[in-house]
Amino acid sequence: MKQRKTIALILLVVALVLSAAFLWQVEYPQGFEPYFKREYYNQFGPLAISVELLIAGYYLFVGDKKTNFALAVFGFTALLDPVFDQIGLFESIVPVYANFILSICAVFCLWLAFKNIFKLKRISTIVTAASFVLGVIIELFFNFV
C-alpha cells in the first residue's frame, strides 16, 4: 500500500506541475467572438492530458476500482498525441519536454494498468478497447474541433 501511494503521489506531482505549465500557456483572447474559435479550444488539449494523469493518480492513491481504466485512458491519450503528430494527422501543441515526460508516464501507467500490479479491478478487453477509443476521441476533439 505504501508503494502504491508513493507512485500515486509522484504521478500527482507530475500532473500538477504540467497542469500549471500548460495553464500558464493558455492565451485568453480579447472580446467575445474568439472564444468560439477552434484555436482557443485547441490550447486546452495538453491541459486535458495532464488532468487525465491527475485523475488516474488520484484513483491510484485512494485505490479505487476505476484506477486501471483511468490509467489506460491517460496512457493511450498521452501516447496517441505524438503518434498522431508523427503520422501527420495534426500538429501537436504539446511541448517536446512535456511529450517526453508524458510518454514516460504513459508507458508506466499502461504497464500498471495491464499488469494489475496493485491488485485493483482487472482491466478487461472491452474496457481496454473503450479506453483506447476514449483516448482517440479526446485527442481528435482537441485537435479537430
Side-chain angles (χ1 to χ4, degrees), residues 9-73:
L9 283 174
I10 292 169
L11 293 176
L12 287 168
V13 167
V14 169
L16 288 172
V17 168
L18 288 177
S19 293
F22 295 148
L23 200 54
W24 284 327
Q25 291 178 351
V26 172
E27 295 179 14
Y28 297 98
Q30 297 293 323
F32 188 67
E33 189 176 309
Y35 284 98
F36 297 103
K37 296 195 185 260
R38 182 175 79 141
E39 295 81 25
Y40 175 70
Y41 291 103
N42 285 355
Q43 57 186 341
F44 290 100
L47 183 61
I49 296 171
S50 61
V51 168
E52 287 178 9
L53 179 58
L54 187 70
I55 292 168
Y58 171 75
Y59 279 154
L60 184 61
F61 186 80
V62 296
D64 195 281
K65 64 181 181 178
K66 299 176 225 166
T67 300
N68 289 334
F69 174 71
L71 288 169
V73 170

